[in-house]
């Protein structure tokens, strides 16, 4: 039986914004005269901003840094990037438009609500999404299942009738902890042990193939 609700992760799944987070942290920390290599900054695309900032400052031996202040600077810069150049992965817009005729759609993001809303509005997808659950709404983001649990609670659907589309090991762990089925989308992440027993797709094209895997016909 196909799901009645599809819960789509934001960064790295729907939105091609991971490089924005990396660049925003590099530019923010450059104000301190720090040159943060790409391989170090890349971790910022996988963990919470506050956690990333704490790690960076701790590594530099700074124990009383204004973590919240630096996170706000970084987040403001990320929002500027999203507004100026909203980027979706290939097929993402068509998938959302097609799924909207089959299931209730939720974006469950580890990013702030204004980041999600800016991209959806600029991409013409805002009216296709019934609900946004963002980092602002929960105490902990992935790998904690808080966002997914809140989504199904607000939709008033059973966990067994929802499916999460995730793109990271943390996202899949969160989906399993929330009791929802999941699909792994790789985009730039190849198939591997991180997928576990979840069905895996390398991207969203062709959209008809994704719909078929979810149990939907091509037409609503």
């Amino acid at each position: 039986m196909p799901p009645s609700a599809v819960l789509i992760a934001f960064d790295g799944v729907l939105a091609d914004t991971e490089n924005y987070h990396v660049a925003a942290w590099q530019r923010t920390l450059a104000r301190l005269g720090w040159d943060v290599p790409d391989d170090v900054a890349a971790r910022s695309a996988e963990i919470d901003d506050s956690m990333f900032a704490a790690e960076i400052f701790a590594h530099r031996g700074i124990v009383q840094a204004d973590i919240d202040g630096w996170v706000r600077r970084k987040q403001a810069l990320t929002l500027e990037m999203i507004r100026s150049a909203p980027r979706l992965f290939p097929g993402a817009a068509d998938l959302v438009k097609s799924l909207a005729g089959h299931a209730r759609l939720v974006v469950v993001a580890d990013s702030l609500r204004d980041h999600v809303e800016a991209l959806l509005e600029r991409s013409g997808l805002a009216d296709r999404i019934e609900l946004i659950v963002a980092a602002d709404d929960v105490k902990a983001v992935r790998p904690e299942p808080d966002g997914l649990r809140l989504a199904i609670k607000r939709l008033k659907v059973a966990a067994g009738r929802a499916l999460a589309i995730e793109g990271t090991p943390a996202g899949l762990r969160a989906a399993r902890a929330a009791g929802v089925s999941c699909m792994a989308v790789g985009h730039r992440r190849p198939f591997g042990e991180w997928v576990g027993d979840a069905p895996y797709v390398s991207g969203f094209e062709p959209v008809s193939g994704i719909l078929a895997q979810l149990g939907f016909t091509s037409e609503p």
Side-chain angles (χ1 to χ4, degrees):
M1 182 180 296
S4 61
V6 177
L7 318 176
I8 309 174
F10 185 65
D11 293 302
V13 172
L14 180 67
D16 187 6
T17 50
E18 291 177 301
N19 287 339
Y20 288 172
H21 292 286
V22 172
W25 268 121
Q26 288 175 321
R27 295 180 190 179
T28 298
L29 295 172
R31 300 178 185 182
L32 294 169
W34 296 356
D35 181 14
V36 181
D38 290 346
D39 60 334
V40 175
R43 181 160 166 75
S44 68
E46 299 185 0
I47 64 173
D48 176 70
D49 279 334
S50 295
M51 184 182 298
F52 177 76
E55 288 183 0
I56 288 289
F57 282 103
H59 181 73
R60 299 266 178 166
I62 301 173
V63 296
Q64 292 185 325
D66 179 14
I67 298 294
D68 291 343
W70 288 106
V71 166
R72 285 194 296 271
R73 292 180 179 92
K74 177 266 175 184
Q75 290 172 343
L77 183 53
T78 305
L79 181 59
E80 289 180 17
M81 293 179 179
I82 291 173
R83 284 174 171 165
S84 63
R87 293 169 58 183
L88 296 173
F89 281 103
D94 288 340
L95 179 63
V96 167
K97 292 173 183 177
S98 297
L99 282 174
H102 294 283
R104 303 170 73 183
L105 296 186
V106 182
V107 170
V108 181
D110 294 343
S111 293
L112 298 177
R113 176 173 295 274
D114 55 2
H115 293 187
V116 181
E117 290 178 342
L119 185 135
L120 293 178
E121 289 168 4
R122 293 294 303 277
S123 302
L125 298 179
D127 62 343
R128 308 298 178 107
I129 302 298
E130 178 176 344
L131 175 68
I132 296 170
V133 175
D136 320 47
D137 301 312
V138 296
K139 292 182 178 179
V141 296
R142 297 172 178 85
E144 300 303 319
D146 299 26
L148 295 168
R149 285 176 175 165
L150 181 58
I152 59 178
K153 178 180 179 180
R154 289 183 174 175
L155 289 179
K156 298 181 180 179
V157 299
R161 297 290 291 122
L163 177 136
I165 301 179
E166 299 286 346
T168 65
L172 294 177
R173 288 199 299 273
R176 293 179 180 115
V180 303
S181 59
C182 47
M183 169 183 283
V185 58
H187 294 310
R188 301 185 184 93
R189 188 188 298 269
F191 179 84
E193 291 185 4
W194 69 277
V195 174
D197 60 357
Y200 171 88
V201 294
S202 60
F204 288 146
E205 296 178 323
V207 169
S208 58
I210 306 299
L211 294 175
Q213 283 210 42
L214 296 178
F216 299 119
T217 60
S218 59
E219 295 295 334

